[in-house]
Amino acid sequence: MLLAGCASPPDPKDEAAVQSYREANDPLEPINRYFFEVNRFLDIVALRPAAEFYRELVPAPVRSGARNVVRNLGEPLTAINSFLQGDHARAGDDLARFAINSTLGIGGIMDVAADPKFLGVERKDEDFGQTLGVYKIDEGLYLMLPILGPRPPRDLIGFAVDSFIEPVQYAFPNELRTGFGLSRAAVSGIDLRERNIETLDDIERNALDFYATIRSLYRQRRNAEIANGKVSPSLLAPEIRSGATASAVTAGLQDDLRLEKASAPRR
Amino acid sequence: MRASVGNMRGDLAGWAAALLLLLLLSGLWSAPAAAGPAGIFIERLGNEAINVLGNAALDQKEREGQLRRLLNDGFALNAIAQFTLGRYWRTASPEQQAEFRRLFEELVVKTYAARLSNYAGETLMVTDEKPDGETGSVVTTNIVRPSRPTVKIQWRVRPVGEGYKIVDVVAEGVSMALTQQSEFAAVIRARGGEVEGLLDDMREKVAAGKAP
């Protein structure tokens, strides 16, 4: 089932199929689906159990402190990317947040900088993939990688660049750097998974095609992050175009209500 | 301290903005004062939903029936169904369209009945309302959850007759209609471009929900 179908481009004469294939922008779909299943397996045997242990063993305030520490360590990289995106004021805010939270926030355990009494600036997360996106670089074809998850070329390059320019790691001597990076990734990964146990369960339970749903969610989420919530959501929305459609909606509603009443006694 | 004459206008504008902000913030607590008609519509619908969910006297079936009525009242289900089938709507036969419309509603009701059954005291606050498209509005709300982070949800509504209908729900930048559309397209592609294949999967999903 995994490798069946959708490997080859559709019949060029079938317009709906061609456009839908192009929109999905996922020519490697069979391989991507395979790695998606690999990741699901890894999730079931390792990540999710770890996240559940984490939830059960570690009290919520401690989890929130650990999350804040890891997020605080990310502020210098966010500052670099804010700067590269041309938002110099925001880059300054990011650095100010880092300074305040590292000191008054006790190594970042508390996000005091978000408090209006101190700086009153909420955290924002920027990465090099988003920076490329700000300069209108397309994400490219969809890629699902083992362990790393969805990383289309733009975000894969972004990930590589971020790993290299990330400044905090260079505060550590060579021999400790990898260990620091890995433990940091482990904490943020398990924390992220813990916060999304119910959400992911829900998406999986209700999806007809879990893979395609995740693909769409990933892309929309990235676009929203790149836009930083400044633009309204995608212009695409179901439209009630003509009076005819509007009355069809109303007629449909009437039908539904009639059906509802008719079937009510049987329930 | 900027007191020069040249800055007076700027300062006044600043004060006016601060005053407006204060009014808006106070609107958050005294509710619909700041919202327009579309915001009031969303607020009323949200409160009705909360009443249904918080009503312990209802059993599972009654709750589902009431949710179904709210969905039909509040959402432009026909327009949404047509949008989510996308370009395959035109390739589907009228019978398939009708069947799709029916299954779509079943799935939406099933999904949201399950989702909302975990209701734990969330409240909805309208924070903003802006024009959207030619006649519509996008209403921004905060879903405040006890001891969990607030979620920002945007409701895209269009006027229908005397009232409004929701055409899309956008949660933290993710459109439900768009997500559904790409998922349905993926299923149809995987089933060799046949709408019937999607209908099969939908029937199966609906039936799975009905099983005891």
Side-chain angles (χ1 to χ4, degrees):
Chain A
M1 192 212 149
L2 270 181
L3 298 166
C6 35
S8 49
D11 179 1
K13 275 172 292 192
D14 186 345
E15 197 198 322
V18 171
Q19 285 201 26
S20 140
Y21 177 81
R22 210 173 285 154
E23 252 170 38
N25 193 14
D26 192 0
L28 302 177
E29 189 167 335
I31 304 165
N32 284 338
R33 278 187 189 268
Y34 175 74
F35 284 132
F36 183 69
E37 291 304 320
V38 169
N39 286 343
R40 266 173 96 179
F41 173 76
L42 294 176
D43 182 56
I44 290 165
V45 299
L47 186 54
R48 194 196 154 114
E52 278 170 343
F53 268 120
Y54 186 58
R55 177 181 284 184
E56 253 168 62
L57 297 179
V58 184
V62 180
R63 294 202 303 266
S64 138
R67 182 182 315 138
N68 285 342
V69 167
V70 172
R71 283 177 170 176
N72 185 53
L73 291 172
E75 295 281 7
L77 180 63
T78 292
I80 293 176
N81 280 301
S82 293
F83 187 84
L84 293 175
Q85 289 169 23
D87 194 346
H88 301 171
R90 179 68 220 195
D93 280 346
D94 297 332
L95 285 180
R97 278 181 50 80
F98 182 63
I100 291 172
N101 283 341
S102 301
T103 51
L104 298 174
I106 317 168
I109 295 174
M110 290 177 296
D111 185 1
V112 288
D115 191 319
K117 280 201 292 283
F118 294 94
L119 192 63
V121 177
E122 296 281 338
R123 187 183 72 97
K124 227 169 90 188
D125 197 18
E126 300 291 348
D127 55 64
F128 198 71
Q130 291 185 51
T131 300
L132 292 174
V134 166
Y135 292 100
K136 305 272 176 271
I137 290 172
D138 198 56
E139 62 170 11
L141 48 86
Y142 190 63
L143 277 183
M144 172 64 74
L145 300 184
I147 299 167
L148 289 180
R151 297 265 186 227
R154 181 194 64 207
D155 296 337
L156 183 59
I157 292 169
F159 175 72
V161 171
D162 282 336
S163 315
F164 182 70
I165 64 175
E166 199 295 302
V168 178
Q169 60 181 324
Y170 296 109
F172 287 81
N174 249 331
E175 61 273 18
L176 292 178
R177 204 167 289 154
T178 314
F180 165 72
L182 285 178
S183 22
R184 180 176 164 177
V187 173
S188 74
I190 291 170
D191 178 65
L192 183 69
R193 188 66 185 90
E194 186 274 320
R195 282 179 291 131
N196 287 290
I197 291 177
E198 286 77 18
T199 312
L200 277 174
D201 282 355
D202 176 82
I203 294 169
E204 181 171 5
R205 191 170 46 241
N206 294 305
L208 292 173
D209 185 339
F210 190 30
Y211 169 84
T213 301
I214 294 292
R215 181 175 62 198
S216 174
L217 291 177
Y218 176 77
R219 285 174 166 160
Q220 292 188 59
R221 192 77 202 103
R222 286 300 278 172
N223 287 339
E225 281 172 353
I226 290 165
N228 283 332
K230 269 179 207 140
V231 288
S232 59
S234 144
L235 287 174
L236 278 170
E239 283 304 333
I240 306 165
R241 277 209 181 75
S242 59
T245 323
S247 61
V249 171
T250 322
L253 168 61
Q254 297 302 329
D255 284 351
D256 289 335
L257 284 177
R258 269 199 299 277
L259 286 174
E260 185 77 10
K261 281 184 192 130
S263 62
R266 272 186 282 127
R267 289 188 185 179
Chain B
M1 280 301 205
R2 288 178 290 152
S4 77
V5 183
N7 270 337
M8 278 293 273
R9 271 228 302 262
D11 281 353
L12 275 178
W15 278 108
L19 202 67
L20 193 69
L21 194 71
L22 205 70
L23 285 174
L24 283 175
L25 285 176
S26 61
L28 292 185
W29 285 285
S30 63
I40 291 170
F41 159 73
I42 291 296
E43 182 147 51
R44 196 183 302 140
L45 196 68
N47 287 336
E48 276 182 60
I50 287 170
N51 283 340
V52 172
L53 297 166
N55 187 350
L58 297 175
D59 68 20
Q60 176 71 23
K61 270 207 178 113
E62 288 169 322
R63 187 163 294 146
E64 216 176 282
Q66 300 230 19
L67 281 176
R68 190 185 295 269
R69 208 181 45 244
L70 282 180
L71 277 169
N72 270 305
D73 268 350
F75 288 77
L77 280 182
N78 284 333
I80 298 170
Q82 192 170 333
F83 175 85
T84 56
L85 198 51
R87 51 179 54 88
Y88 292 105
W89 180 263
R90 276 183 293 123
T91 66
S93 70
E95 293 74 32
Q96 285 176 325
Q97 289 177 353
E99 176 71 346
F100 173 76
R101 168 67 178 77
R102 184 185 75 80
L103 289 167
F104 179 73
E105 184 182 322
E106 289 297 324
L107 277 184
V108 172
V109 170
K110 177 173 118 59
T111 306
Y112 282 88
R115 252 172 219 175
L116 296 170
S117 67
N118 301 321
Y119 178 74
E122 287 88 347
T123 50
L124 175 142
M125 289 196 313
V126 174
T127 58
D128 187 34
E129 179 182 336
K130 282 198 176 69
D132 182 37
E134 275 169 28
T135 57
S137 315
V138 49
V139 177
T140 305
T141 61
N142 280 338
I143 309 290
V144 183
R145 306 179 296 172
S147 73
R148 290 173 74 193
T150 297
V151 188
K152 189 174 126 188
I153 309 248
Q154 290 173 304
W155 311 79
R156 307 182 82 179
V157 302
R158 301 286 180 268
V160 175
E162 302 285 285
Y164 287 92
K165 294 264 184 198
I166 297 163
V167 293
D168 196 8
V169 183
V170 181
E172 305 286 345
V174 173
S175 147
M176 296 299 124
L178 208 57
T179 306
Q180 198 75 83
Q181 188 192 57
S182 41
E183 186 190 27
F184 287 160
V187 172
I188 294 173
R189 260 202 322 281
R191 299 297 219 95
E194 293 297 329
V195 173
E196 204 54 46
L198 171 66
L199 296 180
D200 280 346
D201 282 8
M202 291 172 86
R203 275 184 212 111
E204 204 174 294
K205 198 85 186 172
V206 170
K210 290 267 161 65

